[in-house]
């Protein structure tokens, strides 16, 4: 049974209740599909979901022999049926039993962009995604960027705050006292211990405008400025907050003048004359109030910020993920993505590359030609030592070309990717098909060297006498590959490329090598004799030794 996870991401400002409602709509539509057996879902942040506006579903599909459709085709069918759900983005990818992915993404294959400049990274990522969405080889192009989160930025008028004797550190400590859940003490009892955590009342945490009712302690009356002017828990007794070493009582209590205005901030007067006198005295006297409202020297600006900033190494990074189109292969998709990245001429500070399965595929393709070439060279050396010839090992290896062509044609005919399993099938063909040439060449060389026959008669007799064992070994290997190619049970999609490559390569090579191998043998034998005659011919112009007179 194949399991298909489904990740959904809603708008950054969507509530948990709305998220749950939309997820119920998705689950109801998914369960109506005949290929789906069951599903489980989760909403909120956990080890996989980094933000609260995302959820995850695990869709359990019926066995392959009951649904008769691959997991990728089920994903495409569900995608068309679930596009009507608005306000939420849907990303689906099949789960691999053996995976090399080192990160969680919304779709199957990953491509990362990293840059030390976050703004430059976001700009080029958006351009890169727009180009990728135009590629016909890709589907469901997604990214882990979430730039639409609402944020409130506190802008401090530092000149006014300095004139009032309020340091930036005082503002930071006061805000952390009110909203940061600062641990200010630990109460020990006989059976347990309790952490004393400081925070503002819930009514001050619901609306950013409530910050205007927050009061910052000032020390301008005594002329003190800087960090020493702070009168919060951070500077009084909670410097070791977060540890259990603090056992003495705090110097301040939550009734300190931080969240409530003092009585002498706004003085009620009964006459205009007394009001003017009070204002004049406040302007000339140094005995001003010891707290100031936050709005007196700061204001708020509403902006948008990313909900999460991911890193790769030491730099910010963005992961772009994608699925393959129905008629595209992973190799073609990787080539198309690389061409887009090179054509955009990104700045040198921005580094890009594949990750996970796509990275493993590219690394295996880079080393695969060298491995195959090394295998062929090794086989050629062994055959050359065995037959004491430089040309007949090439005769035997000539049978591999038809086997490789047959395997590729069979994979194309049955619409199978050139996966790692298919490559294993092609490697198996090197050993299976090579024995056809070995049987004929070995007998022909023995007839030439021990019975004095020419190359034509020797290879003709070898073809007749070795026809039966060649057909027996070929049919044994071919019939053994048919269950792999035609199987429909559990896990058959993993074994099918191996069987198709074997059967296709054996059929074409068997039909061709029985006719091509004798021709190539005679050609190389004549070529070797021609070079042998040239090397044995005496050099012209050499003077013959004179005989006795």
């Amino acid at each position: 049974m194949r399991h298909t996870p489904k990740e959904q991401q809603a708008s950054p400002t969507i509530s948990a209740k709305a998220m749950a409602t939309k997820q119920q709509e998705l689950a109801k539509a998914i369960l109506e599909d005949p290929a789906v057996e069951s599903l489980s879902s989760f909403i909120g942040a956990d080890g996989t979901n980094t933000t609260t506006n995302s959820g995850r579903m695990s869709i359990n599909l019926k066995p392959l022999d009951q649904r008769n459709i691959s997991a990728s085709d089920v994903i495409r069918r569900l995608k068309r049926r679930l596009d009507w759900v608005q306000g939420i983005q849907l990303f689906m990818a099949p789960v691999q039993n053996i995976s090399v992915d080192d990160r969680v993404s919304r779709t199957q294959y990953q491509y990362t962009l990293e840059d030390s400049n976050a703004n430059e990274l976001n700009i080029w990522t958006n351009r890169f995604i727009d180009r990728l969405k135009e590629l016909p080889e890709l589907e469901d192009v997604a990214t882990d960027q979430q730039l639409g989160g609402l944020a409130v930025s506190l802008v401090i008028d530092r000149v006014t705050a300095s004139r009032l004797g309020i340091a930036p550190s005082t503002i930071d400590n006061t805000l952390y006292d009110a909203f940061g859940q600062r641990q200010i003490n630990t109460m020990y009892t006989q059976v347990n211990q309790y952490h004393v955590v400081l925070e503002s009342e819930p009514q001050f945490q619901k609306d950013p405008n409530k910050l205007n009712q927050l009061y910052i302690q000032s020390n301008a009356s005594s002329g003190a400025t800087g960090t020493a002017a702070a009168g919060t828990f951070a500077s009084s007794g909670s410097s070791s907050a977060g540890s259990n070493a603090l056992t003495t009582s705090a110097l301040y209590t939550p009734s300190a003048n931080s969240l409530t205005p003092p009585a002498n901030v706004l003085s009620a007067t009964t006459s205009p004359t007394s009001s003017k006198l009070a204002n004049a005295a406040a302007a000339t006297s140094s005995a001003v109030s010891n707290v100031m409202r936050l709005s007196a020297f700061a204001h708020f600006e509403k902006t948008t910020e990313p909900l999460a900033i991911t890193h790769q190494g030491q730099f910010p990074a963005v992961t772009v993920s994608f699925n393959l189109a129905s008629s595209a292969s992973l190799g073609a998709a990787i080539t198309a993505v690389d061409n887009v990245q090179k054509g955009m001429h990104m700045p040198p500070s921005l580094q890009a590359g594949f990750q996970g399965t796509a990275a493993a595929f590219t690394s295996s393709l880079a080393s695969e030609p060298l491995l195959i070439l090394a295998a062929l060279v090794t086989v050629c050396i062994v055959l050359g030592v065995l037959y004491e010839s430089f040309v007949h090992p090439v005769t035997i290896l000539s049978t591999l070309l038809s086997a490789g062509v047959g395997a590729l044609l069979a994979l194309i005919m049955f619409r199978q990717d050139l996966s790692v399993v298919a490559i294993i099938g092609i490697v198996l063909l090197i050993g299976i098909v090579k024995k056809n040439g070995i049987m004929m060449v070995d007998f022909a060389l023995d007839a030439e060297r021990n019975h004095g026959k020419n190359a034509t008669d020797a290879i003709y007799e070898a073809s007749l006498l070795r026809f039966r064992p060649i057909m027996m070994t070929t049919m044994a290997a071919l019939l053994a590959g048919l269950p792999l190619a035609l199987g429909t049970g559990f896990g058959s999609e993993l074994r099918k490329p191996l069987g198709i490559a074997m059967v296709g390569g054996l059929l074409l090579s068997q039909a061709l090598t029985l006719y091509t191998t004798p021709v190539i043998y005679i050609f190389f034998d004549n070529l070797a004799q021609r070079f042998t005659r040239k090397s044995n011919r005496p050099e012209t112009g050499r003077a013959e030794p004179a005989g006795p007179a």
Side-chain angles (χ1 to χ4, degrees):
M1 183 181 301
R2 296 297 300 273
H3 302 276
T4 303
K6 175 183 179 58
E7 180 176 342
Q8 60 275 355
Q9 177 190 356
S11 171
T13 58
I14 191 172
S15 62
K17 183 177 180 180
M19 183 71 180
T21 302
K22 293 184 178 297
Q23 195 176 45
Q24 291 177 359
E25 296 179 6
L26 294 175
K28 182 178 179 181
I30 291 172
L31 290 175
E32 294 177 355
D33 192 277
V36 176
E37 185 174 23
S38 63
L39 65 84
S40 58
S41 61
F42 176 80
I43 301 176
D46 63 347
T48 302
N49 301 325
T50 57
T51 56
T52 57
N53 70 322
S54 60
R56 185 168 293 271
M57 287 185 179
S58 179
I59 304 173
N60 302 321
L61 302 180
K62 295 180 180 179
L64 186 61
D65 55 354
Q66 296 182 14
R67 50 187 164 93
N68 295 324
I69 186 174
S70 64
S72 300
D73 294 334
V74 174
I75 289 175
R76 297 185 184 95
R77 184 168 65 187
L78 289 175
K79 183 68 176 178
R80 293 191 298 267
R81 297 181 59 181
L82 300 176
D83 284 341
W84 60 272
V85 182
Q86 301 295 327
I88 191 170
Q89 293 180 335
L90 314 174
F91 306 101
M92 289 179 284
V95 170
Q96 303 294 332
N97 296 329
I98 301 176
S99 178
V100 296
D101 294 337
D102 56 353
R103 66 190 64 196
V104 178
S105 60
R106 308 196 184 282
T107 43
Q108 190 170 4
Y109 302 103
Q110 300 89 31
Y111 191 88
T112 59
L113 304 169
E114 59 175 311
D115 196 342
S116 58
N117 190 339
N119 295 329
E120 183 180 69
L121 176 64
N122 293 330
I123 293 174
W124 282 99
T125 300
N126 294 331
R127 298 176 183 175
F128 184 66
I129 293 175
D130 293 338
R131 295 285 300 275
L132 291 185
K133 290 181 179 180
E134 299 175 357
L135 297 178
E137 295 87 358
L138 308 184
E139 285 183 351
D140 302 330
V141 179
T143 177
D144 59 356
Q145 279 183 314
Q146 300 186 53
L147 304 177
L150 298 180
V152 175
S153 178
L154 177 63
V155 181
I156 301 174
D157 186 355
R158 293 181 177 267
V159 176
T160 304
S162 177
R163 187 170 64 249
L164 296 174
I166 299 175
S169 60
T170 306
I171 302 173
D172 293 340
N173 291 328
T174 303
L175 292 175
Y176 190 75
D177 288 343
F179 308 105
Q181 296 185 347
R182 186 190 298 276
Q183 180 183 337
I184 62 173
N185 206 340
T186 302
M187 299 176 59
Y188 294 93
T189 63
Q190 295 180 352
V191 296
N192 205 345
Q193 61 182 11
Y194 302 92
H195 300 296
V196 180
V197 178
L198 179 67
E199 64 178 1
S200 63
E201 296 182 1
Q203 60 178 342
F204 293 99
Q205 301 177 4
K206 296 180 180 179
D207 188 2
N209 292 325
K210 295 291 185 179
L211 289 173
N212 292 325
Q213 302 181 20
L214 187 68
Y215 287 81
I216 309 297
Q217 188 168 356
S218 171
N219 214 359
S221 58
S222 61
T225 59
T227 308
T232 62
F233 285 94
S235 61
S236 59
S238 59
S239 59
S240 60
S243 66
N244 294 331
L246 182 60
T247 58
T248 60
S249 60
L251 300 180
Y252 295 90
T253 62
S255 62
N257 296 327
S258 296
L259 298 177
T260 56
N264 59 347
V265 171
L266 297 177
S267 301
T269 56
T270 57
S271 64
T273 304
S274 59
S275 176
K276 293 180 181 180
L277 292 175
N279 293 335
T284 57
S285 175
S286 61
V288 295
S289 173
N290 63 340
V291 293
M292 295 297 298
R293 188 189 291 266
L294 185 62
S295 60
F297 54 87
H299 67 278
F300 310 104
E301 295 180 356
K302 293 183 178 180
T303 59
T304 58
E305 296 291 341
L307 297 183
I309 300 177
T310 58
H311 287 76
Q312 181 170 292
Q314 299 180 350
F315 303 108
V318 175
T319 299
V320 180
S321 58
F322 58 89
N323 287 330
L324 298 180
S326 58
S327 59
S329 63
L330 181 58
I334 289 176
T335 302
V337 173
D338 285 335
N339 293 335
V340 169
Q341 190 270 335
K342 295 177 181 178
M344 292 182 64
H345 302 289
M346 295 180 178
S349 60
L350 196 150
Q351 302 296 322
F354 287 97
Q355 301 293 330
T357 305
F361 182 82
T362 54
S363 62
S364 63
L365 287 183
S367 60
E368 178 186 344
L370 296 177
L371 293 177
I372 294 178
L373 180 61
L376 294 178
V377 171
T378 303
V379 171
C380 188
I381 293 174
V382 172
L383 293 177
V385 173
L386 178 63
Y387 295 125
E388 298 179 356
S389 174
F390 291 102
V391 295
H392 291 306
V394 181
T395 304
I396 297 174
L397 295 179
S398 65
T399 60
L400 303 180
L401 181 60
S402 60
V405 173
L408 295 178
L409 291 178
L411 292 174
I412 295 174
M413 184 182 302
F414 289 93
R415 297 182 179 180
Q416 296 291 329
D417 295 335
L418 185 61
S419 59
V420 176
V421 178
I423 295 175
I424 293 175
I426 296 176
V427 173
L428 288 176
L429 289 175
I430 297 177
I432 298 174
V433 176
K434 186 179 62 177
K435 52 84 183 173
N436 295 346
I438 291 177
M439 288 182 179
M440 289 188 289
V441 171
D442 184 69
F443 188 88
L445 287 177
D446 181 73
E448 280 190 71
R449 294 171 179 175
N450 299 329
H451 300 283
K453 295 183 179 181
N454 57 25
T456 303
D457 295 337
I459 194 63
Y460 176 76
E461 185 178 359
S463 301
L464 294 178
L465 295 179
R466 296 297 182 178
F467 176 76
R468 183 187 301 176
I470 288 175
M471 291 299 299
M472 291 175 61
T473 54
T474 301
M475 292 302 298
L478 191 147
L479 295 177
L482 284 179
L484 300 177
L486 304 178
T488 58
F490 177 75
S492 60
E493 63 273 13
L494 181 64
R495 300 185 296 266
K496 186 172 294 186
L498 174 61
I500 292 176
M502 288 179 56
V503 173
L506 289 174
L507 285 176
L508 186 61
S509 64
Q510 189 66 31
L512 294 180
T513 55
L514 292 176
Y515 299 97
T516 59
T517 302
V519 175
I520 297 176
Y521 179 87
I522 295 173
F523 171 77
F524 279 114
D525 188 81
N526 295 334
L527 187 65
Q529 291 181 5
R530 185 181 305 173
F531 280 101
T532 302
R533 286 194 299 267
K534 289 183 178 180
S535 61
N536 294 333
R537 184 180 303 171
E539 297 182 5
T540 60
R542 177 179 297 179
E544 302 226 354

